[in-house]
Amino acid sequence: MPVRVVVLGAGFGGLELTTALSEEFGKDIQVVLIDKGAEFIFGFSKLDVMFGRQVPDTVRHPYRDLLKPGVRFVQTTVRSIDPVARQTVTDAGTFDADILVVALGADLDPAATPGLTEGGHEFYTVAGAFALREVLPTFESGPAIVGVCGKSFKCPPAPSETALLLHDFLTDRGRRKASSISLVMPFGTPIPPSPDTSQAILKAFAERGITFVKDQLVKSLDPVRKVAVLGDGAEMPYALFLGIPVHRVPQVVVDSGLAAHAHDWVPVNKQTLATKFPGVYAIGDVNGVGTPKAGVFAEGSAKIVAAAIVAQIKNGTPPEPYKGQGSCYVEFGHNQVGRVDVDFLSGPKPTGTFQEPSAALVAEKARFGQSRIARWFGR
Ligand SMILES: Cc1cc2nc3c(=O)[nH]c(=O)nc-3n(C[C@H](O)[C@H](O)[C@H](O)COP(=O)(O)OP(=O)(O)OC[C@H]3O[C@@H](n4cnc5c(N)ncnc54)[C@H](O)[C@@H]3O)c2cc1C
């Protein structure tokens, strides 16, 4: 009997894991990949669509195109997970696994910030980002705030990128002089593990007149008075609020016992991504391994787990410990992209090295996306 691997979530992590197993075993493995959605969309494509750089249809990658030997994609919602029995109940039936990989990402909870849904916008969900494509061109003047509402959030550079891209967007439309841009972040610098990247971003903010409000979260919005209330009680007036909602562990994962509560990411062995349940792994944003919540780290953790599964099936040598390394591209606006290479787990503390923004890195980022789509969807 081929080994049965069930992968919950076809995001960055699930797609990479599934591809690696299919490459290794072809039809000699039974992988079921489950996702409630019909298509994959890169996180960075949300910014492209919202700022009018791409149309929605060009950034959708339908799972129906995923034809890999040994892999069956099932579009359905996961309703419960039993990590002891390695059994998953979905709207399309029950799936039993020899090896279960949870890659369900981080859920977003805009309702956790009072006033956000009524009085502001968020750009972290696909629906929120795509809706902003119609809203941003109607913004004429006044204070714009990009505000982080919870401590743990996907893609730490994304709020800074949004402030820089908003600057370009308003400049191109002749609205920049009539507006101000502020960024509210819970860190002291934009990218704490990389002082060089932080310095470059802060310099870009200073050149463009963007205000960086450090060490603060947006706790609530008052839609009537049009003010954002920060953690220390300070109030900031806004005409446009672009929020990064509170992130949480998906409820189905909490209910399974894999995580203790909504803000306790699934504990895993830092070197292997194994949970405390034998034969159950958690990869990507859903785990609490200590790397940022970003696609490149989800992909890196998928590679380690794929190698561990290969070693287990073939009685081979287990992979080297997970190092938590990844390269993030950072949109600087002015048609330039920078890059930060970070290493979270190799040394005593995280380190990062920075590559200055350039047009060459714009092309490299495009190739990064294209290569993943070609690899995962076989195109
Ligand atoms: C604005 C923005 C910009 C970003 N830019 C970058 C970037 O430039 N580089 C980068 O590396 N990362 C970036 N990211 C972060 C990146 O998108 C995520 O970190 C990455 O997708 C995480 O991968 P994952 O596999 O852990 O989870 P996800 O990709 O989120 O996948 C989880 C999957 O699980 C599915 N799912 C959830 N619950 C259920 C359920 N109950 N039943 C069935 N299916 C379910 C979801 O539909 C989803 O497809 C960005 C994110 C945002 C929001």
Side-chain angles (χ1 to χ4, degrees), residues 253-297:
V253 176
V254 177
D255 293 343
S256 74
L258 279 157
H261 59 79
H263 300 286
D264 180 26
W265 305 97
V266 178
V268 288
N269 177 316
K270 279 191 189 318
Q271 301 194 332
T272 64
L273 291 313
T275 69
K276 66 180 178 190
F277 299 96
V280 182
Y281 295 89
I283 59 170
D285 288 356
V286 79
N287 74 27
V289 75
T291 56
K293 301 204 176 303
V296 284
F297 296 103

Side-chain angles (χ1 to χ4, degrees), residues 8-16 34-48 50 63 73-81 88-90 102-108 122-126 129 153-159 161-162 244-245 247 250-253 283-287 292-299 301-302 327-331 365 368:
L8 308 181
F12 236 99
L15 285 168
E16 175 58 32
I34 297 174
D35 202 290
K36 62 185 173 189
E39 60 212 5
F40 173 76
I41 294 173
F42 284 110
F44 54 70
S45 297
K46 292 171 186 165
L47 301 184
D48 288 336
M50 130 186 192
Y63 293 126
F73 174 76
V74 181
Q75 188 186 345
T76 187
T77 299
V78 173
R79 297 294 176 189
S80 71
I81 305 164
T88 304
V89 177
T90 75
V102 181
L104 291 172
D107 269 4
L108 300 166
E122 60 79 21
F123 58 96
Y124 262 50
T125 64
V126 171
F153 59 97
K154 301 186 209 195
C155 194
E161 292 178 295
T162 303
I244 294 89
H247 288 39
Q251 189 60 41
V252 71
V253 176
I283 59 170
D285 288 356
V286 79
N287 74 27
K293 301 204 176 303
V296 284
F297 296 103
E299 182 183 275
S301 61
S327 304
C328 291
Y329 297 99
V330 185
E331 295 280 346
K365 179 180 172 185
F368 168 85

Side-chain angles (χ1 to χ4, degrees), residues 106-109 112-113 124 147-157 159 184-190 192 214-219 231-232 243-248 262-265 285 290-293:
D107 269 4
L108 300 166
D109 190 4
T113 305
Y124 262 50
V148 179
C149 302
K151 272 201 169 138
S152 171
F153 59 97
K154 301 186 209 195
C155 194
V184 180
M185 287 265 282
F187 310 144
T189 59
K214 64 178 182 176
D215 295 324
Q216 288 286 350
L217 286 173
V218 173
K219 285 293 183 190
D232 65 358
I244 294 89
V246 170
H247 288 39
R248 54 155 298 162
H263 300 286
D264 180 26
W265 305 97
D285 288 356
T291 56
K293 301 204 176 303

Side-chain angles (χ1 to χ4, degrees), residues 109-117 119-123 144-153 159 182-187 211-223 226-238 240-247:
D109 190 4
T113 305
L116 175 56
T117 14
H121 303 275
E122 60 79 21
F123 58 96
I145 300 177
V146 180
V148 179
C149 302
K151 272 201 169 138
S152 171
F153 59 97
S182 305
L183 169 62
V184 180
M185 287 265 282
F187 310 144
T211 306
F212 181 65
V213 181
K214 64 178 182 176
D215 295 324
Q216 288 286 350
L217 286 173
V218 173
K219 285 293 183 190
S220 63
L221 299 188
D222 183 334
K226 288 248 167 193
V227 293
V229 183
L230 308 190
D232 65 358
E235 295 189 346
M236 292 176 69
Y238 69 87
L240 174 70
F241 185 84
L242 304 177
I244 294 89
V246 170
H247 288 39

